[in-house]
Structure formats: structure tokens, C-alpha cells
Amino acid sequence: MSLITGTENLAAFFATLVAARNTNAQIRIHVVGDSKVYGTGTNNGYRIDQLLSAASLGYPVSVTYAGYSGENSYLWSHTVAPGFAAQYPDVDLLIIDFGTNEHVATATGGSQTDDQIEANHLYALSTIRAARPISTLSVLFLGQPPANNWVLGQTVSVMQTVNAILKKVAAETNSAFFDTSALFQRPHSEAGWMEQLPVPQYGGGNVHPSDPMNLALVGHLARELFTIPFAIAPGSADAIVYPTLQNGWTQWDSTMTPRCILHDNTVRMNGVIKPGQTTACIPLFTLPSGMIPKANRFFLASSNPQGAPAEIQILSTGVVRPSVQFTGTYISLDQISYRVD
């Protein structure tokens, strides 16, 4: 069962996954939050950005992070969020993980009431959405684990209240919400999260959360964000990719869309494309991982005038290009076929 509410609001992010599979385009994720995002080690847990990079199933992902130890949504709203769009103009997915320190008096702005927490996030998202609409930026709120630090009053009931606020804000701002609490709603004796800490510092309360909890959290989150591996496994069932044409090249018409089909370790291409830039070795498109030959391959593709076929190179980098300057009016990909094993 999915732990994400508002998955449809992640459409822009999922579109970047499709683009990556077609063109190897990089995917950019930014994680911002309180002390759960800050630092490494037993007291803080493995950093979420590090784990998410490792669990991205081969996608060309760049994950950055900004963690603010001891801070709450007041700092996020009044200081960090207003500059987010300018500082991270190309981020595809923003993951927000504030909630642990909402009632900490020493945080910037002091302890926040429930109304202030909601207002902080609504204001933060309004400033971000002014520059980055939902069509270009997906936003995901991470819910809080059942308890963080009982000494500071971060009990199960407090975290449940914060989660309800985050879920409400996510719905009101066309964002998604990941229900972290639901993932860990089991007795400690069953789950074993606390027992895996060498020296629990907070008398029955979890520590930010622990390494084992972050491993479980990000593992589950990654399975929902990266539902299909980036690399197409050789020998898999039919995989069809519609490559994004480059350098001004376009498909001949709507009935001749170029595509690449992987079946039984063999890639077959079809479709007809017409020129954009025609200089020698200009890239026509780039193949995704799994459809790339182990060594450079060369093919004669039908073109015109008759009797003058175009030589097409498929490089071990995935780039597909003509060997010499192209002078015809079209290239047919229908005769290109090769094995990837």
C-alpha cells in the first residue's frame, strides 16, 4: 500500500524520470529540514540525501540537502524558502522534512503553535510556487516518525498533530505527503528500532530517527519514487523507448515516430526522421542504458537520393549520429538492429 498521499502532484517529477530514460537527463532533488536532515552518525541517522542517491535504481540523480539543527518551520518560512527558487532553479523534487522542533523554545522564532506551523508552510510554499509552478517542481512533505525526543516533548501525540498539519498543507498546496508515522506504527519491541541504538539518549524516545529507521524510511520512499529501474535489463520483456530527437531533427510525420524496441537482447529501431543540423557526427538522439551496444556499431540507413544511404553510428556512449555531413531529406531507422549482449 502506498504511503504517499497526493501522488498525482508528483507528475512533474515522474516526467523527469521518463526524460532521463530517453535522454539520460539528470534529475535534481533537494532535501531541506531540521536536525533529522543535518549531520551523520547514530545521533542523527544516515543523511536522507545520501540514502536517496543510493536507492535511486540507477537514475542520474543529484541530491542536495540543507539541514538546520534545532530549527523549525519558522526559519524555513521566513529565511530559507524565500530564496529557494533562486538558489535551486533546476530542482525537480523538493522534499520538506520540518516537524521535529516545532515546539522547541530555543529555535529561531521560538516554539510554534499549531496555527503558526500551518501558516509557516503555507507562506513558504506560496513564495516558492510564485517562481516554480507545479508543472516544473514537485513538492513532497515527509511526515514525522511516532516519537523523536521525549525530553523535548516530541511525543507520539505531538508528532501526530504535526503530521495532520503537514498532510493538510500538502493537500492545499498541490503537494504530496509521505506518512512516515504509518510506516513505524508498531510497538518498539516488535520493530526493534530503539533497541538498535547503542546508547539511547532520551529514555524511550527515538533519536532523529536512528540509522535503522532512516534506512527503512528511505528504502520505502525510493520504491515509491523510482518505480521502474533506470537501466533496462537485457533479456527483459519488450521495452519500448521513444527517443528525444536532438539538434533540430524531427520525425517525418505523426505515423513515423522513431522508437527503439528491446526484446531478447536485441534492439530494433523504426521510424523516419528529417534533418535539423546536418554537420558530420551531430547527435540525432541518445539511447538509454540497457539499449546501448558494448562497442561502437555502424549501419547503412535508407535515405535519398536513391543509391546514397546514410551511414549511422551508434556509439558505446549511447549517442546515435551520422558519420558524415548529411545532404538528404530523410533517414529511415527501419533497417537498424543489433544485440546488446
Side-chain angles (χ1 to χ4, degrees):
M1 182 181 68
S2 175
L3 295 179
I4 296 182
T5 303
T7 306
E8 67 278 5
N9 294 324
L10 300 177
F13 170 74
F14 290 128
T16 64
L17 301 185
V18 175
R21 286 170 64 87
N22 287 338
T23 66
N24 295 309
Q26 190 172 57
I27 300 163
R28 293 177 172 83
I29 300 174
H30 183 66
V31 184
V32 63
D34 51 40
S35 46
K36 297 186 303 301
V37 180
Y38 178 83
T40 59
T42 302
N43 288 355
N44 299 97
Y46 292 124
R47 282 202 336 238
I48 293 176
D49 60 307
Q50 297 169 328
L51 295 176
L52 198 56
S53 293
S56 59
L57 295 185
Y59 281 88
V61 169
S62 170
V63 186
T64 53
Y65 87 106
Y68 300 91
S69 182
E71 298 292 353
N72 56 34
S73 59
Y74 180 93
L75 178 79
W76 162 237
S77 173
H78 291 74
T79 304
V80 181
F84 168 80
Q87 188 174 1
Y88 301 99
D90 300 323
V91 165
D92 302 301
L93 174 64
L94 169 63
I95 298 177
I96 301 170
D97 192 20
F98 283 95
T100 295
N101 302 316
E102 294 304 322
H103 302 300
V104 174
T106 55
T108 301
S111 177
Q112 301 293 290
T113 67
D114 293 346
D115 288 342
Q116 287 174 320
I117 296 170
E118 181 176 352
N120 288 340
H121 284 294
L122 288 174
Y123 177 74
L125 265 293
S126 69
T127 62
I128 292 172
R129 287 298 184 207
R132 298 292 309 278
I134 189 174
S135 59
T136 66
L137 173 68
S138 296
V139 176
L140 173 67
F141 284 87
L142 278 187
Q144 305 305 298
N148 281 277
N149 179 340
W150 291 3
V151 170
L152 295 180
Q154 297 159 358
T155 62
V156 173
S157 61
V158 169
M159 294 297 99
Q160 288 175 337
T161 300
V162 171
N163 282 340
I165 296 170
L166 295 177
K167 187 175 182 179
K168 179 182 178 182
V169 170
E172 293 179 0
T173 59
N174 293 322
S175 304
F177 172 77
F178 183 90
D179 195 345
T180 303
S181 182
L183 183 63
F184 298 116
Q185 282 288 11
R186 293 176 291 175
H188 294 171
S189 58
E190 174 193 342
W193 307 117
M194 307 307 176
E195 288 76 3
Q196 294 185 55
L197 290 171
V199 183
Q201 298 184 18
Y202 298 122
N206 179 37
V207 186
H208 283 132
S210 65
D211 287 353
M213 290 185 80
N214 264 352
L215 287 168
L217 165 62
V218 178
H220 194 108
L221 176 61
R223 283 194 294 273
E224 298 212 39
L225 292 179
F226 304 100
T227 56
I228 301 175
F230 176 71
I232 303 171
S236 64
D238 288 354
I240 301 177
V241 169
Y242 296 88
T244 300
L245 298 176
Q246 301 169 252
N247 296 307
W249 283 73
T250 58
Q251 63 187 57
W252 183 261
D253 60 29
S254 60
T255 67
M256 299 183 179
T257 302
R259 64 179 184 170
C260 307
I261 303 170
L262 175 66
H263 177 67
D264 193 23
N265 291 329
T266 299
V267 174
R268 294 178 175 84
M269 296 185 184
N270 55 38
V272 179
I273 57 178
K274 54 186 176 181
Q277 298 180 40
T278 58
T279 54
C281 299
I282 191 77
L284 305 176
F285 56 88
T286 302
L287 294 166
S289 176
M291 289 190 174
I292 299 174
K294 293 183 177 180
N296 297 344
R297 303 295 300 274
F298 302 88
F299 301 90
L300 292 179
S302 297
S303 183
N304 70 327
Q306 291 185 345
E311 183 177 81
I312 300 299
Q313 303 175 356
I314 302 181
L315 306 184
S316 58
T317 59
V319 171
V320 179
R321 67 187 190 182
S323 295
V324 298
Q325 181 171 353
F326 184 71
T327 58
T329 59
Y330 71 84
I331 293 176
S332 172
L333 304 174
D334 291 349
Q335 296 169 309
I336 297 178
S337 176
Y338 58 91
R339 294 186 64 82
V340 295
D341 56 0

